[in-house]
């Protein structure tokens, strides 16, 4: 799995026991969006396209890494409890609060389960194109 | 990267990374492995993770790593670490997201040779009765009040509901119930995830397996457990589902602030922790125990439905289709225990992540029939290979905080496994070996291919050779149900 190396994207990295994703984007909001898209792709998520719906979410955290983990964890929660996945995001980040307008649909298929988004070696680093991070998912 | 030159070999099965290896280590790392097993994990980061884990405040003795170790997140899989009460820390990441994940073994009086023509029906019945796979909900829909009861009383709740017998509870670690749980310390999110999932297997490496007892190594212990060569047994491997995953996620997030508050510096944010005697530490302990009780109840309800499947298939075909509980034991848990460290009796919180408690003979918490043989240890192998029944030893009490291995341990990444193994091919291969497979996802099946794991026999030979467990029986799978 790999998107072309544009200004934003994600790719899966080798990990012995879990899944690891490398994500890059110009800013934190787009980094969160790419991470979400990559996470859904890892799980083999497919949506029921004619049942689109919208949701809003807001998470607060100590720093930007924690915001990223909290945002993805909230998506896992919505996936498990409501059976919903999302493919369009409008995200804003201000003062350690992330707000997102999510557009998606119920899952048509989901082939693999993520237990949790971890903080393992998680650091959002500056890069020539903006920001990049590696995220390990417990599966 | 830790290399062989950084380690001292102390016996055929034991190695040590001295505390002097890195200045922030508080204790040395003790590794149980043969040279072959050690070399198999040198390419991954498990030893570096073990060294990172040795920086947790309040550690005593050694950080111990089992021969099935592999790279995890923060703390290595196969790791054991004990922190001194009251001021030592508890680290949710050193226990894992699947709190109290574990294995249950049920024995039977059913001879494999007499029923092998019915195993396809049995696989189908188990698959229908025991919900598995991503997003699958269970037969039960618990109210908030019922979930609170599960949190507070674990398998006792299942007993009241008619899903368990007294003997099941007696033969469960902690009798299927840990005191000190407080559902007030569990988030609404966790409760919402937990309510529909009691009695579900989940996906990933979780499974229900029917095995044949292939070889007995300790006839006295096997007899006490009711294990007979050539007879069927059932292994159930799962944990606390989304309930535990959410609790761990919530507290790993909260503890990002706790480490700042208590001035704790760590090499990896996944290792965040709080002193056991702090409000944060106490809150996590109370929430973790809710997840532990949930996991005990979950495996108990799954056992109930596995019994139902056996009844559906074997009633009228064999004289006795009952499944008796052999034991239920966790391999992802934090436990308050007393151990002898440098000649001193110390109260500690033993973190086991991918490691099994393996208390030796005489332990009072064991049912009477197991007290002279030691605590049963259940070691599932990779899909299609063997699983093992062991018992704890005095050696494990002395060398590894009463702990031993928990499985085979991965050697191949998930992405490589799914690139090199086709789920359909693997299923055909396993069926050709006489193993009935029911799997929710072919991609998921490929990631769990036997080639992605170490040889479980090598792992068991190592813990037996090191004296931190003793062999009782080797099991061969004939039915595998995976989510």
């Amino acid at each position: 799995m790999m998107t072309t190396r544009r200004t934003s994207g994600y790719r899966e990295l080798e990990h012995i026991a879990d899944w690891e994703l490398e994500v890059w984007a110009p800013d934190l909001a787009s980094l969160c969006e790419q991470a979400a898209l990559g996470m859904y792709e890892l799980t083999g998520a497919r949506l029921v396209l004619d049942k689109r719906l919208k949701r809003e979410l807001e998470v607060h955290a100590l720093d930007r890494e924690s915001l990223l983990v909290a945002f993805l964890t909230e998506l896992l929660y919505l996936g498990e409890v409501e059976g919903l996945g999302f493919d369009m995001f409008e995200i804003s980040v201000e003062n350690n609060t992330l707000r997102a307008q999510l557009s998606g649909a119920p899952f048509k298929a989901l082939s693999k389960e993520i237990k949790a988004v971890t903080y393992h070696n998680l650091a959002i680093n500056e890069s020539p194109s903006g920001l990049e991070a590696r995220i390990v998912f417990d599966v | 990267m830790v290399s062989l030159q950084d380690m001292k070999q102390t016996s055929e099965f034991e190695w040590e990374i001295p505390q002097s290896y890195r200045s922030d280590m508080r204790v040395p790392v003790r590794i149980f492995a043969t040279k072959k097993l050690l070399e198999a994990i040198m390419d991954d980061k498990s030893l570096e993770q073990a060294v990172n884990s040795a920086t947790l405040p309040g550690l005593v003795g050694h950080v111990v790593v089992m021969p099935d170790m592999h790279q995890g997140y923060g703390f290595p899989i196969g790791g054991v670490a004990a922190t001194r009460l009251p001021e030592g820390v508890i680290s949710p990441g050193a226990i894992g997201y699947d709190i109290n994940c574990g294995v249950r073994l049920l024995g039977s009086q059913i001879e494999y040779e007499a029923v092998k023509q019915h195993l396809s029906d049995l696989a189908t019945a188990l698959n229908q009765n025991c919900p598995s796979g991503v997003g699958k909900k269970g037969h039960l829909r618990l109210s908030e009040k019922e979930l609170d009861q599960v949190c507070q009383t674990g398998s006792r709740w299942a007993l009241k509901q008619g899903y368990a017998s007294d003997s099941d509870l007696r033969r469960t670690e902690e009798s299927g119930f840990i005191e000190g749980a407080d559902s007030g310390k569990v988030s609404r999110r966790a409760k919402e995830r937990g309510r529909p999932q009691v009695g579900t297997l989940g996906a990933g490496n979780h499974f229900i397996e029917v095995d044949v007892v292939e070889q007995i190594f300790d006839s006295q212990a096997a007899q006490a457990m009711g294990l007979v060569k050539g007879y069927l047994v059932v292994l159930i491997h799962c944990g606390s589902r989304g309930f535990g995953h959410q609790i761990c996620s919530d507290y790993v997030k909260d503890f990002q602030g706790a480490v700042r508050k208590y001035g704790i510096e760590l090499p990896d944010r996944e290792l965040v922790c709080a002193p056991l005697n702090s409000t944060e530490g106490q809150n996590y302990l109370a929430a973790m125990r809710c997840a532990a009780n949930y996991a005990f109840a979950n495996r108990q309800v799954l056992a109930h439905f596995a019994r139902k499947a056996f009844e559906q298939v074997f009633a009228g075909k064999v004289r006795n289709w009952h499944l008796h509980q052999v034991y239920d034991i966790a391999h992802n848990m934090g436990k308050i225990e007393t151990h002898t460290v440098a000649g001193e009796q110390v109260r500690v919180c033993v973190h086991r992540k991918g490691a099994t408690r393996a208390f030796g003979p005489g332990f009072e918490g064991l049912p009477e029939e197991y007290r002279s043989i030691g605590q049963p240890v259940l070691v599932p192998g990779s899909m299609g290979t063997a699983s093992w029944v062991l018992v704890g030893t005095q050696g494990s009490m002395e060398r590894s905080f009463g702990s031993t291995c928990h499985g085979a341990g991965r050697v191949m990444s998930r992405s490589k496994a799914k690139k090199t193994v086709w789920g359909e091919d693997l299923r055909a291969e396993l069926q050709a070996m006489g193993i009935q497979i029911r799997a929710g996802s072919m991609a998921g099946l490929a990631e769990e291919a036997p080639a992605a794991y170490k040889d479980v026999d090598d792992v068991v030979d190592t813990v037996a050779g090191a004296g931190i467990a003793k062999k009782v029986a080797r099991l061969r799978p004939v039915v595998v149900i995976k989510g």
Side-chain angles (χ1 to χ4, degrees):
Chain A
M1 168 178 87
M2 182 165 174
T3 55
T4 49
R5 185 94 197 188
R6 293 187 189 137
T7 51
S8 59
Y10 56 84
R11 70 182 178 115
E12 187 183 358
L13 302 173
E14 294 260 323
H15 190 287
I16 285 285
D18 297 303
W19 289 338
E20 188 167 5
L21 207 57
E22 184 181 39
V23 190
W24 60 94
D27 54 47
L28 184 56
S30 347
L31 193 79
C32 290
E33 178 179 347
Q34 291 301 320
L37 292 170
M39 182 175 80
Y40 285 126
E41 190 169 328
L42 284 173
T43 60
R46 283 158 55 210
L47 305 180
V48 182
L49 293 175
D50 57 352
K51 287 190 179 170
R52 294 202 66 85
L53 45 80
K54 288 187 188 299
R55 282 279 189 282
E56 286 182 10
L57 71 78
E58 185 175 310
V59 289
H60 311 273
L62 275 178
D63 50 36
R64 56 191 190 176
E65 285 84 2
S66 294
L67 272 181
L68 173 62
V69 173
F71 169 64
L72 296 174
T73 301
E74 195 66 5
L75 295 180
L76 288 181
Y77 160 80
L78 287 167
E80 194 166 291
V81 171
E82 298 191 39
L84 301 177
F86 302 93
D87 54 3
M88 292 170 73
F89 304 85
E90 279 178 43
I91 299 172
S92 64
V93 183
E94 201 179 353
N95 297 332
N96 292 340
T97 297
L98 179 152
R99 292 184 184 85
Q101 307 266 352
L102 314 170
S103 171
F107 290 124
K108 185 160 82 179
L110 193 60
S111 58
K112 283 174 276 176
E113 183 176 67
I114 289 178
K115 288 178 185 166
V117 187
T118 81
Y119 280 81
H120 177 47
N121 286 339
L122 179 62
I124 297 175
N125 295 313
E126 312 294 327
S127 73
S129 60
L131 298 174
E132 60 184 25
R134 288 178 170 200
I135 310 160
V136 174
F137 299 92
D138 181 22
V139 297
Chain B
M1 198 79 153
V2 185
S3 70
L4 274 177
Q5 285 71 44
D6 299 314
M7 286 179 257
K8 188 171 79 181
Q9 185 164 16
T10 53
S11 79
E12 188 185 351
F13 303 104
E14 263 182 74
W15 305 71
E16 185 171 299
I17 304 173
Q19 195 180 334
S20 57
Y21 172 73
R22 221 172 68 187
S23 61
D24 56 349
M25 288 171 75
R26 293 173 194 265
V27 293
V29 174
R30 174 178 289 158
I31 304 151
F32 288 96
T34 57
K35 195 169 183 208
K36 178 185 160 194
L37 284 169
L38 198 55
E39 281 168 349
I41 55 98
M42 294 303 281
D43 291 339
D44 80 20
K45 292 181 181 150
S46 43
L47 291 176
E48 193 183 315
Q49 292 180 344
V51 168
N52 287 345
S53 307
T55 67
L56 288 168
L59 283 172
V60 295
H62 293 71
V63 162
V64 179
V65 196
M66 295 299 160
D68 51 333
M69 75 187 114
H70 61 77
Q71 181 181 336
Y73 43 88
F75 201 81
I77 310 299
V80 179
T83 49
R84 183 192 290 264
L85 264 62
E87 72 286 353
V89 298
I90 185 160
S91 170
I95 289 161
Y97 288 89
D98 202 353
I99 298 167
N100 208 28
C101 182
V103 186
R104 175 171 297 224
L105 178 66
L106 306 168
S108 87
Q109 299 295 310
I110 303 171
E111 258 193 283
Y112 166 69
E113 286 297 333
V115 298
K116 60 183 180 186
Q117 70 274 27
H118 301 301
L119 291 181
S120 174
D121 291 345
L122 181 63
T124 303
L126 281 168
N127 200 31
Q128 285 169 350
N129 279 279
C130 302
S132 64
V134 188
K136 278 280 167 62
K137 295 184 169 54
H139 301 292
L140 315 180
R141 290 284 180 279
L142 301 192
S143 66
E144 227 166 284
K145 198 176 156 197
E146 286 169 316
L147 181 68
D148 279 351
Q149 289 165 355
V150 170
C151 290
Q152 305 294 343
T153 65
S155 290
R156 290 188 187 179
W157 168 84
L159 181 67
K160 269 192 184 163
Q161 302 301 313
Y163 298 119
S165 68
D166 286 322
S167 163
D168 292 347
L169 267 61
R170 243 171 24 83
R171 289 183 166 197
T172 301
E173 183 181 13
E174 309 281 2
S175 301
F177 154 66
I178 296 183
E179 281 186 45
D182 179 356
S183 60
K185 306 301 179 199
V186 174
S187 70
R188 172 152 293 282
R189 290 268 183 277
K191 290 178 183 176
E192 286 174 37
R193 289 177 73 172
R195 276 173 53 193
Q197 292 185 340
V198 171
T200 63
L201 193 62
N205 62 352
H206 293 156
F207 63 79
I208 295 181
E209 208 174 81
V210 180
D211 293 75
V212 185
V213 179
E214 190 181 55
Q215 199 175 351
I216 301 276
F217 293 82
D218 180 333
S219 53
Q220 186 204 349
Q223 195 179 5
M225 297 181 196
L227 296 176
V228 183
K229 188 177 175 184
Y231 282 42
L232 298 184
V233 295
V234 177
L235 270 177
I236 300 172
H237 174 213
C238 70
S240 49
R241 309 285 289 111
F243 185 66
H245 308 164
Q246 186 73 44
I247 289 172
C248 187
S249 295
D250 291 340
Y251 280 90
V252 171
K253 184 185 177 206
D254 280 1
F255 281 18
Q256 301 295 322
V259 287
R260 292 186 192 181
K261 180 177 166 187
Y262 295 106
I264 298 169
E265 283 190 28
L266 296 163
D268 185 342
R269 296 183 66 170
E270 187 63 24
L271 289 171
V272 285
C273 53
L276 281 149
N277 59 357
S278 67
T279 307
E280 293 88 344
Q282 288 294 312
N283 288 349
Y284 174 67
L285 260 179
M288 176 198 72
R289 287 167 172 159
C290 291
N293 286 334
Y294 184 102
F296 283 134
N298 187 33
R299 288 194 289 276
Q300 184 62 55
V301 172
L302 280 166
H304 169 81
F305 285 103
R307 285 171 171 152
K308 216 169 146 186
F310 264 65
E311 184 175 355
Q312 282 168 9
V313 175
F314 292 127
K317 296 190 183 79
V318 298
R319 207 168 52 181
N320 181 356
W321 57 85
H322 176 67
L323 295 171
H324 71 269
Q325 175 119 329
V326 175
Y327 208 60
D328 179 299
I329 183 98
H331 50 230
N332 281 6
M333 198 43 199
K335 289 265 173 71
I336 307 299
E337 298 170 0
T338 301
H339 288 275
T340 306
V341 182
E344 183 197 354
Q345 292 268 301
V346 190
R347 288 288 280 169
V348 286
C349 177
V350 182
H351 299 68
R352 297 187 182 91
K353 182 178 175 187
T356 312
R357 187 151 91 168
F359 282 3
F363 169 50
E364 280 183 13
L366 287 173
E368 207 185 321
E369 64 272 30
Y370 293 163
R371 218 163 284 165
S372 65
I373 60 171
Q375 180 223 289
V377 173
L378 310 170
V379 183
S382 55
M383 182 172 50
T385 64
S387 292
W388 283 86
V389 183
L390 315 174
V391 280
T393 59
Q394 189 52 38
S396 66
M397 303 311 290
E398 290 160 7
R399 318 269 325 135
S400 57
F401 295 105
S403 315
T404 196
C405 64
H406 89 306
R410 290 191 74 93
V411 280
M412 188 194 285
S413 73
R414 291 182 179 273
S415 51
K416 192 172 174 192
K418 70 188 175 196
K419 276 179 209 152
T420 51
V421 182
W422 285 101
E424 285 292 359
D425 290 350
L426 178 60
R427 177 157 72 175
E429 207 177 295
L430 292 170
Q431 283 191 329
M433 289 162 61
I435 303 172
Q436 297 289 334
I437 301 268
R438 300 290 181 274
S441 150
M442 284 301 117
L445 193 69
E447 286 187 19
E448 293 298 322
Y453 284 83
K454 294 173 207 169
D455 184 338
V456 69
D457 294 349
D458 286 349
V459 170
V460 167
D461 283 343
T462 303
V463 292
I468 57 169
K470 194 173 154 198
K471 294 178 184 178
V472 175
R474 189 178 191 270
L475 314 174
R476 175 173 63 84
V478 289
V479 171
V480 178
I481 313 295
K482 286 194 76 72

